[in-house]
Amino acid sequence: MKIGILGLGLIGGSLGFDLRSQGNHVLGVSRRESTCKKAIDLGIVDQASVELSLLAAADIVFICTPIGLIIPQVEQLIAYLPATTIVTDVGSVKTPIVAGISPLWNNFIGGHPMAGNTDAGIEAAQRNLFVNRPYVLTPVATTPTDAISVLEEIVRSLGSIIYHCQPEKHDRAVSWISHLPVIVSASLMAACLSETDPEIFQLAQNLASSGFCDTSRVGAGNPELGVMMAQYNRQALINSLHQYRQNLDEFIDLVSQEKWLLLEDKLKLNQQNRPKFLE
Amino acid sequence: MKIGILGLGLIGGSLGFDLRSQGNHVLGVSRRESTCKKAIDLGIVDQASVELSLLAAADIVFICTPIGLIIPQVEQLIAYLPATTIVTDVGSVKTPIVAGISPLWNNFIGGHPMAGNTDAGIEAAQRNLFVNRPYVLTPVATTPTDAISVLEEIVRSLGSIIYHCQPEKHDRAVSWISHLPVIVSASLMAACLSETDPEIFQLAQNLASSGFCDTSRVGAGNPELGVMMAQYNRQALINSLHQYRQNLDEFIDLVSQEKWLLLEDKLKLNQQNRPKFLE
């Protein structure tokens, strides 16, 4: 099969490694010549170009650009494609992407591989990145079942666990487990930075340990990524934030009113339920 | 030196290992005969008893009971001690402990070794637990300097990094980096549990990954410990919670009002400042 990859970063590059090693002919497009060269040198792609026209020969194209570029790039790309080409993306938010592309391209299926690490760029690409990781597909009522089958077979070949859902349900689910934690964690770090007593502020830094390290991690990550997830999943994030605030207020009330048994009950519920969210 | 340890759990047991291996004579007291036997078998103490009177011979006594028992146990213990005996504790909150014990015992110094792990009990005790870890001492104006010097020398021998501060400053610092994160994290898990759409709830569980795992960890730990830290450090925690809520509201406002540049600025501040809190 001829597989196109538009955007040769961590995800695009890792896809190339795995799909090529399975015997597919992989065509890669990047905005930069140097990335094209690296992709060929590393064995990520068979052919690479800065021109979208290279992808005209592909049976299926994975759009692996930053989320803000997905729709504009697809708008340009489809001028080169026969109507039979399947197009899919790997963006971490699905509602606006699916709403923007579905009217333009019938053979489009939104996708989201839940894989990655803190590094970015083609140098961070690795083999078997998607093994045993969730991979969400968000076809809509009009998506051709043949196209879904082709994409599913490829995703299965990566070793991923496939989930199907509506774009809106995907976005609400990831707002809980991925986007809300960023703001929760960011607010923690920001609150600590507001301490005005220099002795206490210094002491807090000296005493901070694994608990603080873990809870503050995702709120102090890449600022551009944080803004992007808030922009693209804004409504689901706002809903989650309001729900969070309500729960926070309940905890504040329990502590203020010294309702220790109720506090213990709520903490017990957390302790019992967290394992469901872990692998 | 003769060193007494009252309460042979993770901290008390680990202290025993290190202090005994330095040639001190270690006297241990536990409420349970079986723990006394284990402490001797494991080589944690030289002598062990369920009777407080064993500690009459000690030059210094470490109180390593759960925080709620520290003051009541000291009240009983001092009946057996000569006035020269130094008493210290290892409780994670200092203001109420120091306020409760200082009037009873002049040679008392509040202490807090910032060490531990998720396991508890004498079986979890380990050698070198305190090496390179912070150890806070909270002497007050009336604490004899001789007593402070003796305790400091012992703490230094454990390999710990010593910090001195007022009990109130300790409690405000740990409310930022230890107690606030528990409630922040607990509210996240509780908010996720409030999702009423079963498909989204299941999907959130399936898609949750390292970011969610880290951010939800301390809020789903031992419920009894969570309640205890809230009870004993209630006022500092409430202050931190209000400050946190204000920062959360700012983030909610930035997202709601689509103030993306300001959001990015706040996230950049977090990214720049978090390394100060890490070792």
Side-chain angles (χ1 to χ4, degrees), chain A residues 133 169 176 184 186 194-195 197 209 213-214 216-217 219 234 243-245 249 255-256 260 270 274, chain B residues 133 169 176 184 186 194-195 197 209 213-214 216-217 219 231 234 243-245 249 255-256 270 274:
Chain A
R133 303 297 310 152
K169 299 224 170 183
W176 284 126
V184 163
S194 72
E195 172 60 58
D197 182 321
S209 176
C213 176
D214 280 5
S216 65
R217 183 173 68 81
R234 182 169 158 274
Q243 199 69 44
Y244 177 78
R245 194 178 189 281
D249 284 349
V255 175
S256 303
W260 305 126
N270 279 356
R274 182 165 173 268
Chain B
R133 303 298 309 152
K169 299 225 171 184
W176 284 126
V184 162
S194 72
E195 172 59 58
D197 182 321
S209 178
C213 176
D214 280 5
S216 64
R217 183 172 69 82
Q231 282 178 313
R234 183 170 158 275
Q243 199 68 45
Y244 176 79
R245 194 180 190 280
D249 284 349
V255 176
S256 302
N270 279 356
R274 181 165 173 267

Side-chain angles (χ1 to χ4, degrees), chain B residues 183-263:
Chain B
I183 304 295
V184 162
S185 173
S187 302
L188 172 64
M189 181 54 80
C192 292
L193 295 179
S194 72
E195 172 59 58
T196 53
D197 182 321
E199 190 186 345
I200 294 172
F201 187 60
Q202 183 62 53
L203 199 58
Q205 291 173 31
N206 292 335
L207 303 185
S209 178
S210 62
F212 185 79
C213 176
D214 280 5
T215 319
S216 64
R217 183 172 69 82
V218 298
N222 185 318
E224 290 81 13
L225 277 185
V227 171
M228 231 184 275
M229 67 86 188
Q231 282 178 313
Y232 283 86
N233 203 16
R234 183 170 158 275
Q235 197 50 59
L237 177 59
I238 290 174
N239 292 347
S240 295
L241 279 166
H242 285 296
Q243 199 68 45
Y244 176 79
R245 194 180 190 280
Q246 207 172 303
N247 278 277
L248 176 71
D249 284 349
E250 272 182 52
F251 274 105
I252 295 177
D253 184 62
L254 292 176
V255 176
S256 302
Q257 308 291 317
E258 308 193 42
K259 296 175 182 165
W260 305 127
L261 288 178
L262 289 176
L263 176 61

Side-chain angles (χ1 to χ4, degrees), chain B residues 8-278:
Chain B
L8 298 169
L10 167 65
I11 299 293
S14 300
L15 278 173
F17 269 135
D18 289 357
L19 297 175
R20 192 158 173 264
S21 74
Q22 291 164 21
N24 297 292
H25 188 78
V26 176
L27 309 164
V29 168
S30 166
R31 281 178 295 178
R32 283 192 250 172
E33 279 286 6
S34 58
T35 305
C36 292
K37 191 176 174 314
K38 256 181 220 154
I40 289 177
D41 291 348
L42 290 168
I44 286 173
V45 299
D46 294 282
Q47 287 174 264
S49 170
V50 294
E51 302 292 341
L52 290 172
S53 57
L54 178 72
L55 301 173
D59 300 300
I60 179 167
V61 179
F62 285 81
I63 314 292
C64 305
T65 65
I67 196 161
L69 295 176
I70 295 176
I71 295 175
Q73 288 279 26
V74 168
E75 284 170 342
Q76 290 181 43
L77 171 68
I78 54 179
Y80 300 95
L81 302 184
T84 51
T85 310
I86 300 165
V87 176
T88 185
D89 77 311
V90 298
S92 59
V93 175
K94 297 272 60 84
T95 310
I97 302 292
V98 173
I101 300 179
S102 289
L104 307 175
W105 201 251
N106 193 42
N107 269 322
F108 173 75
I109 304 156
H112 181 202
M114 306 288 294
N117 58 44
T118 49
D119 298 326
I122 194 162
E123 291 84 1
Q126 52 185 269
R127 291 171 203 281
N128 300 314
L129 182 66
F130 308 98
V131 173
N132 289 327
R133 303 298 309 152
Y135 198 121
V136 185
L137 300 180
T138 62
V140 292
T142 55
T143 314
T145 54
D146 288 359
I148 301 173
S149 299
V150 170
L151 178 55
E152 279 191 335
E153 196 172 328
I154 294 173
V155 170
R156 218 172 280 124
S157 79
L158 298 169
S160 299
I161 304 155
I162 299 177
Y163 297 97
H164 279 242
C165 66
Q166 294 162 13
E168 295 74 19
K169 299 225 171 184
H170 166 276
D171 291 353
R172 286 173 59 189
V174 297
S175 89
W176 284 126
I177 53 93
S178 178
H179 303 162
L180 175 62
V182 169
I183 304 295
V184 162
S185 173
S187 302
L188 172 64
M189 181 54 80
C192 292
L193 295 179
S194 72
E195 172 59 58
T196 53
D197 182 321
E199 190 186 345
I200 294 172
F201 187 60
Q202 183 62 53
L203 199 58
Q205 291 173 31
N206 292 335
L207 303 185
S209 178
S210 62
F212 185 79
C213 176
D214 280 5
T215 319
S216 64
R217 183 172 69 82
V218 298
N222 185 318
E224 290 81 13
L225 277 185
V227 171
M228 231 184 275
M229 67 86 188
Q231 282 178 313
Y232 283 86
N233 203 16
R234 183 170 158 275
Q235 197 50 59
L237 177 59
I238 290 174
N239 292 347
S240 295
L241 279 166
H242 285 296
Q243 199 68 45
Y244 176 79
R245 194 180 190 280
Q246 207 172 303
N247 278 277
L248 176 71
D249 284 349
E250 272 182 52
F251 274 105
I252 295 177
D253 184 62
L254 292 176
V255 176
S256 302
Q257 308 291 317
E258 308 193 42
K259 296 175 182 165
W260 305 127
L261 288 178
L262 289 176
L263 176 61
E264 191 170 329
D265 286 345
K266 263 184 96 81
L267 293 175
K268 274 184 188 160
L269 265 184
N270 279 356
Q271 193 184 34
Q272 283 158 15
N273 282 286
R274 181 165 173 267
K276 297 181 191 166
F277 289 81
L278 307 182

Side-chain angles (χ1 to χ4, degrees), chain A residues 10 21 49 62 70 80 82 91 101 178 182 196 214 231 248 263 268 278:
Chain A
L10 167 66
S21 73
S49 172
F62 285 81
I70 295 175
Y80 301 94
I101 300 180
S178 179
V182 169
T196 53
D214 280 5
Q231 282 180 314
L248 176 71
L263 176 60
K268 274 185 188 159
L278 309 181

